[in-house]
Amino acid sequence: MRSKKRIVLFLLALCCAAAVVVTAYLIGESKARSGIQASSERQLHIIALNLESVLEKFETLPFVVAFQPEVTQALARSEDRAVIERLNLILQSIQRQAKVSAIYLMDRNGNTLASSNWNEPLSFVGRNFSFRPYFQDALKGDAGRFYGIGNATGEPGYFIAQPVYPDATARGAGHPAGVIAVKISLSEFEETWRSSEDPIALADRSGVVFLSNRPDWKYQSTVALDAIAQRDLAGTQQYAGREITPIGTLTASAQKGFGESVSQPIGRLGWQLMQFPSHARVERIANLSALAAALVLAIAAISLWAFYQRRRRLEEQLASSRALRQAAEELDRRIAQTTHALTKANQSLETKYAKLKETEHLLRSTQNELVQAGKLAMLGQMAAGMTHELNQPLAAIRAFADNAVTFLDRGQITPASENLTHISAASARMGAIIGQLKGFARKSHETVSSVDLAQSIHASVALLESEFHRQDVALDMDVSEQVRVTGDAVRIEQVLINLLRNAIDAVEGAATRQVSIRLQRRKDEVVIAIRDSGAGIPEQVAAHLFEPFFTTKPSGKGLGLGLAISSSIVQAMNGQLIARNLPDGGAEFLVRLPLQAIGPQPAKGSAEGDHLVSM
């Protein structure tokens, strides 16, 4: 019952804390929104005043220029080149002093007679602007105002136009003889607005944005345009025929920041200056308010929890002191019982550990003896061939010795010396054969050194040379690559001899008895490939090929340890032993070992080159 009451109180406190945090978030959001709204309105008011001052600053400029006598003269004598050139220079001088984009004069038909940019490639002179609203309004006697992309230069600007009358002093009487227009660039406002974090846009009465610190919004509309607005834009070529689409249809990244805005009317053409306050700032302030409330609640909760824990700890200390006295008596009794049981268990563990160490030592000794047994078994298989190899030199030694004795009895020193030389050569051959057997038969101390694989291959082949002769097997060798690996030379020769012996046995009943051995270097590894022309590896044998004591040879011809030992030796050298059948028949064993060094080695005679030995 007490546990349920605690759970209910905890859930109630959690709900209250959540309500406080949510309330703090909402209050912070409301205050942030109001503050940012007020800040945006103040900033927008300053921008509007600045923009209004620029527009009003040039409002009277075309009116004043229209009173220049050269203007009325140019309208009256438009064919007079001297008058036109003089007016061009005057307009250019005024344009430079006033710092506007262009000032130009048009006749009643909208043809430009003179312009401040008369000497530029995109001059207005000769162009017709009768389709522009500012020209049409000025021709009616009113001031013309218009914002659009220049038809000649392609640069946007604000156009102000005033009618020009034949008699400047009788302004308003009669029909205008022409129109004087001033083009003003507002691009500097865009550069100023770029420093603002919030998007700022200036849109015309149709809602088309023509100035903004967001380049993707320019010449896009805040709302979808109806057919009438589209037709008016096309007729006046206000935005040079650009396709106007709503900002809301742009990509998410392009329309970022578009939404709720603060706006203010500006100018005499129904423009709207808009600022879009950042929602991220509102959310950031609201989150900070919620976080502050959560921190206060967390501090209060931690303080209450600390007080509760302290009080509980005091109660527990009193209870534990009573329990300790009772436990101490019980502990004394149990210690005596446990000590007796642990003593017996410790004695049992010591006995088991001694047996385990003895078993481990026996296992290691057995493993080492197993490797040596494999070599000795292999030597036993080669014994018949080696006996034949030793019998030939022994018979030669006996014959040469008998001949030498006869020659010495006769006093023929030179023939006797030649026979003794032959005896020495035969003895050296026997010593080489016995040395190879002793080197192979000795126990390896697992010393790691740099091994010349070509030399190891030749040493292994030399030990089996009599077997190749006896079994009438042709050996094809290609060991021209001079490569070295890191390992044990004795064990590498043991692997090679075992694989060559298996190859000899594999071709025993084959029509063509041929074994090949190749030494190849591939990038950062070396590959020894041993092929035979036998029947290949049966599918049911391949799965168990490297298992210990698995053999397909008759009883007495093998222990089934050769490939298992060879595979473990190669793996110990970070290599791999692979067996596979060849498409044309026969089997291939690949020994892959990591390469130690690549470099030219000194030649060791033709015996170590490519050769074909028929045995």
Side-chain angles (χ1 to χ4, degrees):
M1 191 70 183
R2 181 178 295 178
S3 177
K4 290 183 179 179
K5 185 177 180 181
R6 288 180 179 177
I7 293 173
V8 171
L9 290 175
F10 175 76
L11 293 175
L12 183 60
L14 195 63
C15 292
C16 292
V20 171
V21 171
V22 171
T23 303
Y25 178 89
L26 294 175
I27 293 173
E29 182 184 32
S30 177
K31 289 185 176 181
R33 195 180 301 277
S34 300
I36 292 175
Q37 182 88 2
S39 175
S40 298
E41 289 177 355
R42 289 192 298 270
Q43 185 179 1
L44 204 65
H45 182 67
I46 295 171
I47 295 173
L49 288 177
N50 191 18
L51 187 57
E52 288 275 12
S53 66
V54 171
L55 296 179
E56 291 298 327
K57 172 183 176 182
F58 298 105
E59 187 68 26
T60 59
L61 181 59
F63 181 82
V64 173
V65 174
F67 282 91
Q68 294 290 325
E70 287 81 4
V71 173
T72 54
Q73 291 175 12
L75 290 172
R77 292 182 289 170
S78 60
E79 302 298 330
D80 192 336
R81 298 287 299 173
V83 173
I84 297 298
E85 289 177 0
R86 188 165 59 255
L87 180 58
N88 281 335
L89 295 175
I90 292 173
L91 294 179
Q92 187 178 54
S93 178
I94 296 174
Q95 174 261 328
R96 291 175 177 173
Q97 290 296 324
K99 293 183 175 56
V100 295
S101 296
I103 305 174
Y104 52 102
L105 174 67
M106 295 165 283
D107 61 14
R108 288 181 55 82
N109 298 320
N111 296 316
T112 304
L113 302 179
S115 174
S116 60
N117 61 2
W118 60 273
N119 58 343
E120 297 178 7
L122 299 177
S123 173
F124 293 172
V125 176
R127 296 183 179 271
N128 187 284
F129 298 105
S130 60
F131 61 91
R132 292 294 199 185
Y134 67 83
F135 174 81
Q136 297 169 4
D137 292 341
L139 203 60
K140 294 176 183 178
D142 301 323
R145 300 174 184 86
F146 182 73
Y147 186 91
I149 297 176
N151 188 42
T153 62
E155 297 177 357
Y158 177 59
F159 298 86
I160 305 173
Q162 288 287 349
V164 179
Y165 292 92
D167 185 2
T169 57
R171 186 173 179 83
H175 297 286
V179 172
I180 189 76
V182 175
K183 181 180 179 181
I184 306 165
S185 175
L186 302 180
S187 60
E188 62 181 18
F189 287 96
E190 284 185 325
E191 297 298 326
T192 304
W193 297 347
R194 291 189 194 282
S195 61
S196 174
E197 179 184 353
D198 298 332
I200 301 174
L202 183 61
D204 62 17
R205 68 179 65 193
S206 299
V208 178
V209 176
F210 57 87
L211 282 181
S212 177
N213 58 351
R214 297 293 187 270
D216 292 331
W217 294 10
K218 286 187 66 174
Y219 310 119
Q220 309 295 335
S221 59
T222 56
V223 295
L225 301 182
D226 55 23
I228 297 175
Q230 292 277 11
R231 188 167 57 251
D232 290 344
L233 291 177
T236 60
Q237 298 185 25
Q238 184 173 359
Y239 301 114
R242 295 175 185 265
E243 183 180 358
I244 308 299
T245 58
I247 296 175
T249 63
L250 300 177
T251 61
S253 59
Q255 62 172 301
K256 183 180 179 181
F258 182 74
E260 187 176 337
S261 65
V262 178
S263 61
Q264 179 174 336
I266 191 170
R268 307 186 186 190
L269 296 178
W271 294 350
Q272 289 290 328
L273 181 62
M274 296 174 288
Q275 184 171 3
F276 299 81
S278 174
H279 295 285
R281 285 193 292 168
V282 175
E283 292 180 2
R284 185 164 60 247
I285 294 174
N287 288 331
L288 288 175
S289 300
L291 180 61
L295 287 175
V296 171
L297 290 174
I299 292 172
I302 292 172
S303 300
L304 290 174
W305 179 257
F307 176 76
Y308 171 76
Q309 288 295 323
R310 178 177 175 78
R311 180 179 176 183
R312 186 176 177 181
R313 194 175 297 109
L314 290 174
E315 293 175 354
E316 289 176 351
Q317 286 177 355
L318 294 174
S320 63
S321 61
R322 291 192 298 267
L324 279 174
R325 287 194 298 271
Q326 297 174 358
E329 298 173 359
E330 181 68 20
L331 184 60
D332 289 338
R333 290 194 303 270
R334 291 189 178 183
I335 284 176
Q337 297 173 356
T338 305
T339 301
H340 180 69
L342 286 175
T343 302
K344 287 186 176 181
N346 188 39
Q347 293 173 352
S348 176
L349 285 174
E350 288 179 353
T351 303
K352 291 180 180 179
Y353 180 74
K355 290 182 179 179
L356 181 62
K357 294 293 290 184
E358 183 180 352
T359 304
E360 182 183 2
H361 178 72
L362 180 61
L363 179 60
R364 291 186 181 274
S365 299
T366 304
Q367 287 176 340
N368 293 331
E369 292 299 328
L370 191 59
V371 174
Q372 187 67 14
K375 291 200 291 185
L376 294 177
M378 201 176 298
L379 285 173
Q381 294 172 4
M382 296 187 293
M386 289 300 173
T387 302
H388 175 72
E389 288 291 319
L390 292 173
N391 280 337
Q392 287 181 345
L394 281 172
I397 289 172
R398 179 178 296 173
F400 286 130
D402 292 341
N403 291 338
V405 170
T406 302
F407 286 132
L408 288 173
D409 290 341
R410 295 176 183 176
Q412 296 177 346
I413 303 302
T414 301
S417 176
E418 292 177 355
N419 278 271
L420 290 174
T421 302
H422 290 308
I423 290 172
S424 176
S427 300
R429 174 167 174 77
M430 291 177 63
I433 294 172
I434 294 171
Q436 290 173 342
L437 286 173
K438 287 174 64 180
F440 179 72
R442 73 177 184 271
K443 283 190 176 182
S444 172
H445 299 290
E446 300 183 3
T447 56
V448 177
S449 61
S450 178
V451 180
D452 185 345
L453 284 184
Q455 183 177 347
S456 295
I457 291 173
H458 283 290
S460 303
V461 170
L463 284 172
L464 294 174
E465 187 173 0
S466 61
E467 285 294 316
F468 280 102
H469 279 298
R470 191 167 60 85
Q471 299 288 346
D472 192 22
V473 178
L475 176 62
D476 182 13
M477 291 179 59
D478 181 5
V479 291
S480 58
E481 293 280 359
Q482 298 297 311
V483 292
R484 290 182 174 272
V485 297
T486 301
D488 186 345
V490 175
R491 295 205 169 187
I492 290 176
E493 291 175 14
Q494 180 178 354
V495 173
L496 295 174
I497 290 173
N498 182 68
L499 295 178
L500 289 170
R501 281 285 311 167
N502 288 346
I504 293 173
D505 293 340
V507 300
E508 184 175 354
T512 302
R513 299 184 180 185
Q514 185 170 354
V515 174
S516 68
I517 181 166
R518 299 282 186 272
L519 178 62
Q520 298 176 334
R521 181 171 53 206
R522 299 178 183 174
K523 294 184 179 178
D524 56 351
E525 69 174 4
V526 59
V527 178
I528 304 173
I530 299 177
R531 295 186 178 186
D532 62 65
S533 59
I537 305 170
E539 184 177 353
Q540 65 273 17
V541 174
H544 308 282
L545 199 59
F546 298 104
E547 293 180 2
F549 302 106
F550 178 81
T551 180
T552 58
K553 297 179 182 179
S555 178
K557 275 202 168 186
L559 300 175
L561 293 173
L563 288 177
I565 293 173
S566 298
S567 179
S568 65
I569 291 173
V570 173
Q571 289 177 5
M573 297 172 62
N574 297 322
Q576 189 178 15
L577 178 58
I578 302 171
R580 65 186 182 186
N581 287 321
L582 297 172
D584 297 333
E588 181 181 43
F589 284 81
L590 299 175
V591 180
R592 297 177 178 271
L593 295 173
L595 189 64
Q596 182 203 44
I598 300 176
Q601 300 291 336
K604 297 184 179 180
S606 60
E608 295 187 12
D610 299 346
H611 62 283
L612 180 65
V613 182
S614 179
M615 301 180 179

